[in-house]
């Protein structure tokens, strides 16, 4: 009898601990979001989107940084995602279980969680050193390298979900694989692949470490891809660690902008995926 | 019935070859990137490695003025912060995974799971400023003085909690890292727990076991490989994490006996000093740090992936 009570107590204790762990995790998320909102909203103003990053002690905005982040993220996706999608297509349709495919799949999963600062050093060595100076294009390349594994993984997974019958029907009509892939598989897996793109954008738009020694930063408005370009993450890094209140306020506002953007992207990716699954189910 | 035009068929074949090669090139590019990373880091690090030899990883000195560099302090910082992070995040992640798979009302399962995954999507720089402006002051004012009072005089571990409460330092960096890797560990463990066949669990319950006994004696042994894989995936993240740590580590190139003192890690040393490094040896020493980080994280992540793969194959075989 006593033993039974003990077992029940032990059971209750561990289950309560797991509840506490979950509440702790949720509390962390809530605390971070709350801090961002309470600090960031006070810094929100029209100036953010119309003025450049200011010198210490004067007021300004984040226009050049927002523009730079947008340009480099866009370029990164434009360069990285076609490579990721094509490579994912190879793994799902052509390579399948060949030794090469198994290796690539493994290496891709390693790249997926490799430290982004290493990618920054890599691009520094092969682009910045050659060009002799920091540039927006180097930043975009670093982001592209980070986008490839994400798009590759989702593309392969999504192509594998397409019912085999669709592929067979196309082949039975005499279509070569490339026709089948472009006209049947890609359209069927479209929302899945778009989900991958959204996740990749979410992943790279908040990256700071790989931009530190590729795009660097620029206090002024610049549209030249061969020159250093301002970007939100590096501006946040510099401004948050500065002793100036104006700069710190801007850093919080920038942090809020980035986080909201990324959360919206991640949530839309999830919604899209849920819709896709509902469609499959019916 | 139309007869197939041979010219059309030949054209189709050419397109097929082009498309196939394009996908193959893209796939091989992934391998080339990893190879390129290794080669370029090795080349950049070579001057420092050739000059300092093995003593590079064994010396604590880091003096840009006299061009003397050793990686011991950043290695120590990286290992300690990751160890603290894992000590906090593994039990907590286990608890969250357990809650989500065994206890959670079905209605809440998805929202809580999504919330945990969203925590993973928050960029690391956000954790950094949050750690610096919110967490560090709380630790400095409330937690660290308490730790010094309670643990500071204990034998054996007392020295870890000596000295003034700086707020920023190894301990704070470890706590921020723990929060960062928590969602990865929790999500992987949840997925692994979900692969346990319900039949096994039901058998446990049928024998009269409590929920905890089923988890500890059925679910955990069955998913052991996956649990370790998930932990190592989290460890890989923690070892290489840069921005969150850089804000709260204090950037001091020395090894203190106290966890409350400022230190440095491999990634934060690179992030802080790389653009300001003057002199070829200084830059090369920082790239050598990057090479070390690459080797460490590559080993850990590759081992984690190998474990998770083994599990995938096994559960695939069962179904």
């Amino acid at each position: 009898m006593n033993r039974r009570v003990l077992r029940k107590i032990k059971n209750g204790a561990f289950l309560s601990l797991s509840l506490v762990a979950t509440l702790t995790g949720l509390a962390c998320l809530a605390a971070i979001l709350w801090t961002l909102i309470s600090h960031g909203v006070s810094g929100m103003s029209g100036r953010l989107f119309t003025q450049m990053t200011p010198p210490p002690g004067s007021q300004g905005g984040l226009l050049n940084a927002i523009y730079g982040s947008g340009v480099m993220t866009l370029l990164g996706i434009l360069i990285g995602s076609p490579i990721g999608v094509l490579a994912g297509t190879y793994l799902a349709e052509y390579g399948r279980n060949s030794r090469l495919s198994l290796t690539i799949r493994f290496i891709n999963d390693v790249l997926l969680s490799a430290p982004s600062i290493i990618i920054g050093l890599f691009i520094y060595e092969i682009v910045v050193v050659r060009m002799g100076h920091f540039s927006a294009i180097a930043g975009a390349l670093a982001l592209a390298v980070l986008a490839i594994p994400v798009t590759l993984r989702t593309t392969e997974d999504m192509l594998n979900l397409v019912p085999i019958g669709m592929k067979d029907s196309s082949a039975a009509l005499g279509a070569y694989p490339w026709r089948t892939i472009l006209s049947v598989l890609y359209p069927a897996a479209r929302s899945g692949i778009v989900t991958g793109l959204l996740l990749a954008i979410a992943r790279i738009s908040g990256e700071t470490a790989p931009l530190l020694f590729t795009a660097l930063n620029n206090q002024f408005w610049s549209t030249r891809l061969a020159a250093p370009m301002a970007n939100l993450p590096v501006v946040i890094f510099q401004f948050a660690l500065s002793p100036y209140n104006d700069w710190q306020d801007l850093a919080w506002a920038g942090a809020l902008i980035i986080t909201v953007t990324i959360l919206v992207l991640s949530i839309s990716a999830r919604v899209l995926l849920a819709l896709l699954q509902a469609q499959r189910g019916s | 019935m139309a007869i197939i035009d041979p010219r059309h068929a030949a054209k189709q074949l050419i397109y097929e070859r082009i498309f196939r090669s394009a996908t193959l090139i893209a796939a091989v590019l992934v391998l080339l990137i990893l190879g390129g990373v290794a080669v370029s880091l090795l080349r950049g690090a070579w001057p420092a490695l050739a000059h300092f030899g093995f003593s590079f990883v064994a010396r604590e000195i880091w003096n840009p003025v006299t061009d003397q560099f050793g990686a011991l302090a950043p290695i120590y910082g990286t290992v300690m912060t990751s160890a603290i992070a894992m000590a906090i995040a593994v039990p907590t992640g286990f608890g969250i995974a357990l809650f989500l798979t065994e206890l959670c009302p079905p209605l809440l399962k998805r929202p809580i799971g999504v919330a945990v995954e969203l925590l993973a999507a928050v960029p690391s720089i956000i954790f950094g400023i949050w750690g610096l402006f919110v967490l560090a002051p709380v630790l400095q004012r409330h937690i660290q003085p308490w730790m010094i009072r309670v643990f500071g005089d204990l034998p054996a571990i007392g020295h870890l909690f000596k000295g003034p409460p700086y707020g920023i330092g190894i301990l704070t960096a470890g706590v921020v890292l723990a929060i960062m890797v928590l969602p990865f560990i929790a999500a992987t463990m949840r997925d692994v727990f979900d692969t346990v066949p319900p039949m096994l669990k039901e058998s446990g319950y049928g024998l009269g076991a409590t929920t905890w006994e089923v988890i500890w004696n059925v679910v955990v042994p069955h998913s052991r490989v996956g649990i370790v894989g998930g932990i190592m995936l989290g460890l890989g993240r923690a070892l290489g994490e840069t921005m969150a740590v850089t804000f709260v580590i204090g950037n001091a190139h020395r090894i203190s006996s106290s966890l409350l003192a400022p230190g440095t890690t491999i990634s934060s040393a690179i992030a802080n000093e790389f653009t300001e490094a003057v002199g070829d040896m200084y830059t090369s020493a920082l790239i050598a740090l990057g090479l070390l980080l690459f080797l460490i994280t590559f080993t850990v992540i590759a081992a984690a992936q190998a474990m998770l793969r083994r599990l995938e194959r096994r559960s695939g075989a069962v179904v």
Side-chain angles (χ1 to χ4, degrees):
Chain A
M1 196 61 193
N2 201 5
R3 220 179 119 79
R4 217 184 104 201
V5 175
L6 260 178
R7 284 174 57 206
K8 279 202 164 158
I9 290 174
K10 198 169 155 192
N11 186 44
F14 278 110
L15 296 188
S16 338
L17 279 179
S18 91
L19 180 65
V20 171
T22 310
L23 292 178
T24 312
L26 292 178
C28 287
L29 181 65
I32 288 170
L33 289 182
W34 170 244
T35 314
L36 272 180
I37 291 169
S38 62
H39 283 71
V41 164
S42 64
M44 282 287 161
S45 69
R47 272 204 313 278
L48 276 186
F49 305 99
T50 54
Q51 292 183 14
M52 306 302 147
T53 47
S58 54
Q59 291 191 322
L62 294 168
L63 179 61
N64 51 341
I66 294 172
Y67 170 81
S69 271
V71 166
M72 282 189 278
T73 306
L74 189 69
L75 273 178
I77 281 294
L78 285 180
I79 301 169
S81 63
I83 299 175
V85 169
L86 282 177
T89 308
Y90 179 82
L91 293 187
E93 300 304 322
Y94 289 115
R96 282 268 160 198
N97 290 321
S98 70
R99 181 166 290 190
L100 177 70
S101 298
L102 291 176
T103 317
I104 291 172
R105 216 167 274 141
F106 186 75
I107 296 296
N108 189 66
D109 280 353
V110 171
L111 279 178
L112 200 58
S113 32
S116 55
I117 194 163
I118 302 276
I119 305 299
L121 281 179
F122 167 57
I123 298 294
Y124 173 86
E125 281 285 306
I126 64 166
V127 181
V128 178
V129 170
R130 297 252 158 98
M131 286 177 80
H133 55 84
F134 301 104
S135 64
I137 193 73
L141 281 175
L143 296 182
V145 170
L146 290 165
I148 291 174
V150 185
T151 40
L152 190 160
R153 185 66 192 268
T154 32
T155 305
E156 192 197 350
D157 289 350
M158 292 307 150
L159 287 178
N160 280 334
L161 284 181
V162 177
I164 191 117
M166 290 177 76
K167 214 161 74 180
D168 290 346
S169 330
S170 173
L173 287 173
Y176 274 109
W178 74 274
R179 250 274 165 244
T180 308
I181 292 166
L182 291 184
S183 311
V184 178
L185 298 187
Y186 280 170
R190 196 176 49 218
S191 38
I193 296 175
V194 171
T195 306
L197 291 186
L198 290 180
L199 288 176
I201 297 174
R203 166 86 203 269
I204 65 176
S205 53
E207 280 291 351
T208 317
L211 293 178
L212 279 174
F213 17 88
T214 53
L216 199 65
N217 198 355
N218 192 336
Q219 213 191 316
F220 307 101
W221 175 260
S222 164
T223 54
R224 283 187 49 217
L225 291 180
M229 193 181 262
N231 56 86
L232 272 178
V234 176
V235 167
I236 295 172
F237 180 49
Q238 286 181 348
F239 282 18
L241 287 174
S242 77
Y244 314 110
N245 279 332
D246 294 337
W247 275 18
Q248 287 185 4
D249 289 345
L250 279 177
W252 282 111
L256 182 61
I257 295 175
I258 279 201
T259 311
V260 169
T261 312
I262 289 175
L263 290 186
V264 167
L265 283 169
S266 314
I267 293 173
S268 2
R270 253 160 252 284
V271 170
L272 205 60
L273 210 59
L275 284 180
L276 188 73
Q277 271 158 359
Q279 213 176 44
R280 278 278 144 67
S282 71
Chain B
M1 280 290 283
I3 294 167
I4 295 173
D5 175 4
R7 268 180 316 183
H8 179 252
K11 230 190 238 146
Q12 289 286 313
L13 190 61
I14 292 170
Y15 287 147
E16 171 64 18
R17 291 208 176 116
I18 294 174
F19 187 75
R20 198 193 150 103
S21 320
T23 61
L24 180 63
I25 291 169
V28 171
L29 200 62
V30 174
L31 292 183
L32 290 182
I33 287 174
L34 192 79
V37 170
V39 170
S40 65
L41 286 181
L42 200 58
R43 224 181 44 190
W46 190 248
L49 292 180
H51 188 257
F52 297 113
F54 179 72
S55 74
F56 182 72
V57 291
R59 295 199 307 169
E60 193 188 333
I61 186 169
W62 187 267
N63 191 338
V65 181
T66 58
D67 258 356
Q68 292 299 312
F69 300 103
L72 199 57
I75 292 175
Y76 170 82
T78 299
V79 171
M80 280 315 270
T81 50
S82 299
I84 295 170
M86 299 319 280
I88 300 171
V90 169
T92 317
F94 181 80
I96 293 178
L98 198 159
F99 180 81
L100 284 178
T101 47
E102 308 294 334
L103 294 179
C104 191
L107 204 66
L108 287 177
K109 204 168 167 168
R110 226 181 122 68
I112 295 181
V114 169
V116 170
E117 284 164 23
L118 284 184
L119 191 60
V122 174
S124 62
I125 189 164
I126 307 298
F127 286 92
I129 47 175
W130 181 76
L132 180 64
F133 289 104
V134 179
L135 186 65
V138 172
L139 287 177
Q140 182 177 25
R141 260 176 244 141
H142 306 292
I143 314 284
Q144 291 183 344
W146 175 83
M147 284 177 142
I148 295 169
R149 230 179 21 248
V150 177
F151 303 120
D153 295 325
L154 293 178
I157 60 159
H159 66 89
L160 291 174
F161 301 98
K162 281 245 188 297
Y166 287 98
I168 53 175
I170 301 268
L171 180 74
T172 312
V175 175
V176 173
L177 273 183
I179 300 173
M180 276 208 69
V181 298
L182 182 63
F184 292 99
I185 295 183
T188 322
M189 283 195 186
R190 176 197 58 187
D191 295 345
V192 171
F193 287 174
D194 273 336
T195 64
V196 177
M199 187 96 79
L200 287 181
K201 287 194 284 193
E202 295 303 331
S203 320
Y205 287 122
L207 290 172
T210 61
T211 310
W212 171 252
E213 284 163 347
V214 167
I215 288 158
W216 195 245
N217 299 312
V218 178
V219 175
V220 169
H222 189 269
S223 43
R224 200 174 43 225
V225 183
I227 293 175
V228 176
I231 291 174
M232 291 181 68
L233 213 54
L235 179 61
R237 293 255 169 194
L239 289 167
E241 177 44 47
T242 310
M243 299 321 292
V245 175
T246 305
F247 273 92
V248 294
I249 189 80
N251 305 309
H253 269 280
R254 58 162 191 267
I255 299 174
S256 306
S257 60
S258 172
L259 294 180
L260 311 183
T264 190
T265 67
I266 297 179
S267 51
S268 63
I270 303 172
N272 261 312
E273 300 172 34
F274 198 80
T275 43
E276 289 155 19
V278 280
D280 292 343
M281 193 52 81
Y282 195 1
T283 307
S284 177
L286 286 168
I287 296 180
L289 281 183
L291 181 66
L292 275 179
L293 182 66
F294 174 72
L295 293 177
I296 300 172
T297 50
F298 183 86
T299 315
V300 171
I301 298 169
Q305 291 297 345
M307 283 178 168
L308 289 173
R309 242 151 250 263
R310 212 168 84 194
L311 184 82
E312 227 165 76
R313 269 207 300 278
R314 200 183 62 186
S315 65
V318 168
V319 177

